[in-house]
Amino acid sequence: MSAQGTAPKATITVTSKGEQWGQIVLRLFPDVAPNHVRNFTALAKQGFYNGTTFHRVIPGFMIQGGDPNSKNPDRSMHGMGGPGHRVKAEFNSKPHKRGTLSMARANDPDSAGSQFFICVNDANFLDWQYTVFGEVESGMEVADQVVNAKRDGRDNPLERVEMTVTISEG
């Protein structure tokens, strides 16, 4: 819980070929990762994530999205983009388990920007190395549908799996 009351929530609406697959509702953790929550909610409120895709899906592991380059149909640059700023790591004791929301990053621990992932399986080897900043409250079946999308050799779904992200307080 944040000092302001209940934790903010994010709703990811997932579509493919114009068909809505469903929604993933996330409860965010401002108590353990305040800067990551602030960054994610600010980007979402600006519409930054709308029209981006889940550009990396690995069955038995996770789904990753949030790259502005994924708005472009040219898949060669998917996974390389960000918001133009970085967020310092906020490693915490929340485990990477099924349903965990965490920030993707490059080798530098302080290189998170806009890309995030949702674990579809326990991934404890990521604990204390990536910043957990939320968890799935409902809609895990949608994440399971996304992770099973047919994909190319770079784990990018063959058909665009797009998202819109909205934020609500508690």
Side-chain angles (χ1 to χ4, degrees):
M1 297 287 193
S2 65
Q4 298 84 11
T6 57
K9 293 185 184 188
T11 301
I12 301 174
T13 302
V14 180
T15 57
S16 184
K17 295 191 291 189
E19 176 187 320
Q20 186 171 315
W21 284 13
Q23 294 183 323
I24 302 169
V25 177
L26 304 161
R27 185 168 55 91
L28 304 178
F29 298 152
D31 53 333
V32 296
N35 295 324
H36 282 74
V37 169
R38 194 174 307 114
N39 177 63
F40 182 80
T41 57
L43 290 172
K45 287 176 180 178
Q46 295 166 19
F48 180 91
Y49 292 113
N50 298 347
T52 64
T53 68
F54 283 103
H55 65 271
R56 187 169 175 234
V57 300
I58 302 176
F61 180 31
M62 59 91 207
I63 61 175
Q64 182 172 327
D67 176 4
N69 292 350
S70 69
K71 292 180 181 181
N72 187 324
D74 175 4
R75 302 150 60 88
S76 66
M77 295 301 289
H78 291 190
M80 311 293 268
H85 63 263
R86 295 170 158 218
V87 181
K88 187 169 173 42
E90 295 176 299
F91 301 150
N92 56 65
S93 61
K94 298 278 189 187
H96 284 81
K97 63 185 192 318
R98 178 172 164 79
T100 295
L101 172 68
S102 192
M103 280 303 278
R105 61 172 176 78
N107 288 336
D108 177 355
D110 298 330
S111 62
S114 60
Q115 294 188 43
F116 62 90
F117 62 93
I118 299 170
C119 296
V120 296
N121 235 336
D122 293 355
N124 301 97
F125 60 94
L126 300 176
D127 292 354
W128 296 102
Q129 297 180 58
Y130 291 81
T131 299
V132 173
F133 69 104
E135 69 183 359
V136 174
E137 193 170 86
S138 64
M140 226 19 238
E141 69 282 357
V142 178
D144 290 335
Q145 188 177 357
V146 172
V147 82
N148 288 312
K150 286 188 169 58
R151 57 200 165 99
D152 65 16
R154 294 176 62 224
D155 298 314
N156 195 337
L158 297 174
E159 292 176 355
R160 293 178 61 78
V161 181
E162 294 187 11
M163 70 180 82
T164 57
V165 181
T166 56
I167 303 295
S168 60
E169 298 304 319

